[in-house]
Amino acid sequence: MKKFSLKRRLVFAVILSQLLLALGLVLVASRLAHYYLQSAFDVYLEGRALTVGALVYYPDDGRPGLLFDDSKIPRSPHEIHKDLYQVRSDRGDFERHANLYKPGLFDGLPSAAHFWDFEFDGEPYRAIVLRDFAILDTEASVPKPLPKLTVIYAAPTMDIGQRITTLASAIGLTGAVIVLPTILLAVWNIRRALTPLHDLADQAKSISVHNWEFQPSEEAKSAVELQPLIGAIETVLSGLQRAFTRQREFLGDAAHELKTSLAIVKSTLQSLLNRPRGAGEYRDGLEHVSEDSDRLEELLSRMLRLARVEQWAADGIHRDLDLVDVASTCEMAIARISELAGARDIHIDFSTSQMVLMRADPADLELVWLNLLENAVKYSAPGSQVNVSIAAASHSAEISVSDSGIGIPESELGRIFERFRRGDPSRSRATGGFGLGLAIAKSVVEAYKGSIHAESKLGEGTRISVILPTWSPPSAKRHEPGHSTSDVPLTRQVRSSQ
């Protein structure tokens, strides 16, 4: 798309609006002037026509016929283009006209018109027609009925056009004198009003991975129109800064974990090479190397899994997903963790009162429950119990995993879903964790438009709840085969013990 200047567009819009305003003023003034000048001119024509009609009289000696006193014809205001007139009787026995009159001049006169515009010798004229005009002079000897006159009087209208042109020129010149300073003032105001936006752009331009400072001017902050933009920029910057910080922390923590695992493997190998050993010692050493290699492989696997899940969450899940029974995925996760729970004498109790269906990959959901159960089992005291429950709502379900373990400090509770985050790093090797399980669970839940949060008290245990959107069958459609969606409560309990 071609680049454009916002300031130039605003200036152009102001100039164009001012010019259109001036042009509209000239047009309106010209129309009004034309209307009033023509009205005055029509009054002038009517007066002249009445004067001409009054010059028709009867002879004083009683002779038949009509006379016309042309010596009292009003003088034409124009020396070159003179006024025209015609007076005629309805009996056809009397007609008088101006000296410049040409036969057939008024033949095109409309039959019912009171005024008429035409051209004569290349000049515009306007005429008035007085029909059935009564002769003002009366004589007793004149036989009845009396004749009626038709009086036509025409005058050039060039003065009207000249006056309108002069008026329009004067208004246009005055408008230009007024509009020019107005445009200059408007342009100055636009530039001044855009100054906070320029400052904001300069501040945004200076932002980089090395400079996260965004300090808009007080003038920009006080602009109501810029406040949403400033708020959006600050929100985006805050999110980006957190993301960059997490990325740096992730790389540092990942490097540390990898270095630690590799250092352990290297240390074990070096100890085996320091002096000759028996076959049993070599076997024990290689078994330790194999265990540490497995741990390193598990770390890399979880890092890759976390990266894939976060990519799904960022792009949205666009896979074709089938309906999944959430309770079944919980049972599968419990079955996988049962060996670890049995080794630590941890009892797992699972209960649900209703079948809950949602469109998901069962492996994703099983991964979430497995990570939550793994944390609950690892940080619970031997002989304690871990509870898993499902509570269904209208369009969502809450899956909770709670334990009675050591709990999480309140200061750390908001950060347990961060990558490589552990409440007590010293316990990482003792519990075999990397601090990625809850981060993976959170990413998977958010990829399915769900939410996850934790509640905990030191010495009392932790409860982690996951809320996921569920599938509800349309009432007018048949339920999918293989799934029960009746309103009869369904109770399922699974108890895992040593």
Side-chain angles (χ1 to χ4, degrees):
M1 182 179 292
K2 187 178 179 181
K3 295 182 178 180
F4 65 90
S5 171
L6 184 61
K7 180 169 65 178
R8 289 180 181 176
R9 284 195 172 185
L10 290 174
V11 171
F12 176 76
V14 169
I15 293 175
L16 182 61
S17 63
Q18 292 295 323
L19 292 178
L20 290 176
L21 179 62
L23 179 61
L25 181 62
V26 171
L27 291 176
V28 171
S30 300
R31 294 293 298 176
L32 287 175
H34 182 269
Y35 172 77
Y36 287 113
L37 287 175
Q38 184 169 282
S39 298
F41 189 75
D42 291 344
V43 173
Y44 161 79
L45 289 177
E46 187 174 8
R48 288 297 182 100
L50 290 174
T51 301
V52 171
L55 297 179
V56 179
Y57 63 96
Y58 292 104
D60 296 336
D61 55 5
R63 289 179 295 123
L66 295 172
L67 299 177
F68 183 73
D69 188 2
D70 55 2
S71 63
K72 295 181 180 180
I73 291 294
R75 183 178 179 182
S76 177
H78 294 275
E79 295 296 333
I80 300 176
H81 304 287
K82 298 183 178 297
D83 294 354
L84 304 173
Y85 66 87
Q86 183 189 52
V87 184
R88 63 176 183 265
S89 170
D90 59 351
R91 297 177 179 176
D93 56 352
F94 175 81
E95 181 179 346
R96 296 291 186 274
H97 49 73
N99 294 331
L100 296 177
Y101 177 81
K102 295 180 180 179
L105 176 63
F106 297 125
D107 289 348
L109 180 68
S111 59
H114 190 54
F115 293 96
W116 178 44
D117 295 305
F118 65 98
E119 285 191 2
F120 178 71
D121 287 343
E123 295 296 331
Y125 274 73
R126 185 172 177 83
I128 186 174
V129 183
L130 301 180
R131 294 180 175 84
D132 299 329
F133 185 79
I135 301 173
L136 300 181
D137 183 35
T138 59
E139 294 290 341
S141 59
V142 176
K144 304 295 187 295
L146 298 177
K148 298 292 185 180
L149 300 178
T150 298
V151 181
I152 303 174
Y153 195 94
T157 59
M158 64 185 70
D159 286 349
I160 296 178
Q162 292 174 354
R163 291 177 183 178
I164 292 175
T165 302
T166 303
L167 179 62
S169 301
I171 295 175
L173 182 60
T174 304
V177 173
I178 296 175
V179 166
L180 183 59
T182 304
I183 291 176
L184 295 176
L185 181 62
V187 170
W188 178 79
N189 277 328
I190 288 174
R191 289 182 176 177
R192 186 171 180 273
L194 290 178
T195 299
L197 189 59
H198 288 302
D199 295 341
L200 200 62
D202 293 337
Q203 283 286 327
K205 191 185 300 182
S206 64
I207 297 171
S208 66
V209 292
H210 305 292
N211 178 31
W212 293 99
E213 293 185 2
F214 178 67
Q215 298 177 346
S217 63
E218 292 299 326
E219 190 177 8
K221 290 181 180 179
S222 60
V224 177
E225 293 80 6
L226 294 181
Q227 288 178 0
L229 178 60
I230 293 174
I233 293 177
E234 290 176 342
T235 302
V236 171
L237 284 180
S238 178
L240 287 175
Q241 190 172 9
R242 288 195 302 270
F244 272 96
T245 301
R246 288 197 301 267
Q247 187 70 20
R248 285 195 296 266
E249 292 176 352
F250 173 74
L251 292 176
D253 293 338
H256 174 73
E257 292 287 346
L258 292 172
K259 182 180 178 181
T260 301
S261 299
L262 289 174
I264 294 173
V265 173
K266 184 178 179 181
S267 175
T268 303
L269 292 175
Q270 286 177 342
S271 66
L272 292 176
L273 296 175
N274 281 339
R275 61 181 177 82
R277 299 176 183 274
E281 291 181 299
Y282 280 118
R283 185 180 297 106
D284 292 340
L286 291 176
E287 287 179 354
H288 286 304
V289 170
S290 178
E291 291 175 0
D292 290 325
S293 297
D294 291 340
R295 187 174 185 275
L296 179 60
E297 183 181 6
E298 177 65 17
L299 171 61
L300 293 174
S301 175
R302 292 200 175 199
M303 290 173 61
L304 291 173
R305 187 181 302 158
L306 177 61
R308 285 196 297 268
V309 170
E310 288 184 341
Q311 185 65 37
W312 295 341
D315 298 340
I317 297 179
H318 300 293
R319 297 171 290 173
D320 294 329
L321 302 173
D322 296 326
L323 286 176
V324 174
D325 180 7
V326 177
S328 298
T329 62
C330 291
E331 292 171 351
M332 294 172 65
I334 292 173
R336 290 182 59 180
I337 202 70
S338 61
E339 182 178 353
L340 177 62
R344 297 179 61 86
D345 192 21
I346 305 295
H347 302 277
I348 300 177
D349 184 79
F350 170 54
S351 63
T352 178
S353 60
Q354 185 178 346
M355 178 175 286
V356 175
L357 301 177
M358 68 173 292
R359 294 195 179 277
D361 187 336
D364 294 340
L365 298 184
E366 183 182 345
L367 177 63
V368 173
W369 318 139
L370 187 62
N371 283 324
L372 299 184
L373 287 169
E374 185 179 14
N375 275 282
V377 169
K378 286 180 179 179
Y379 294 108
S380 293
S384 60
Q385 179 171 296
V386 173
N387 296 309
V388 181
S389 63
I390 300 177
S394 57
H395 298 288
S396 64
E398 181 178 6
I399 301 91
S400 300
V401 177
S402 58
D403 61 63
S404 55
I406 59 176
I408 303 171
E410 186 176 354
S411 59
E412 293 291 331
L413 194 59
R415 306 187 64 184
I416 63 172
F417 297 105
E418 296 179 6
R419 294 168 289 191
F420 293 107
R421 190 70 187 179
R422 291 180 292 267
D424 184 359
S426 64
R427 297 199 306 268
S428 61
R429 289 195 59 79
T431 59
F434 302 104
L436 290 176
L438 293 181
I440 293 174
K442 182 175 184 291
S443 297
V444 173
V445 170
E446 291 180 346
Y448 284 100
K449 310 301 181 184
S451 61
I452 183 171
H453 65 278
E455 302 171 2
S456 182
K457 289 185 179 181
L458 283 175
E460 296 184 12
T462 302
R463 181 176 185 268
I464 297 181
S465 299
V466 174
I467 298 177
L468 291 172
T470 57
W471 176 84
S472 299
S475 59
K477 295 182 179 180
R478 296 183 62 183
H479 305 309
E480 296 192 16
H483 296 289
S484 172
T485 57
S486 64
D487 294 333
V488 179
L490 174 66
T491 302
R492 302 167 66 169
Q493 291 188 343
V494 176
R495 187 175 182 85
S496 174
S497 60
Q498 186 177 1

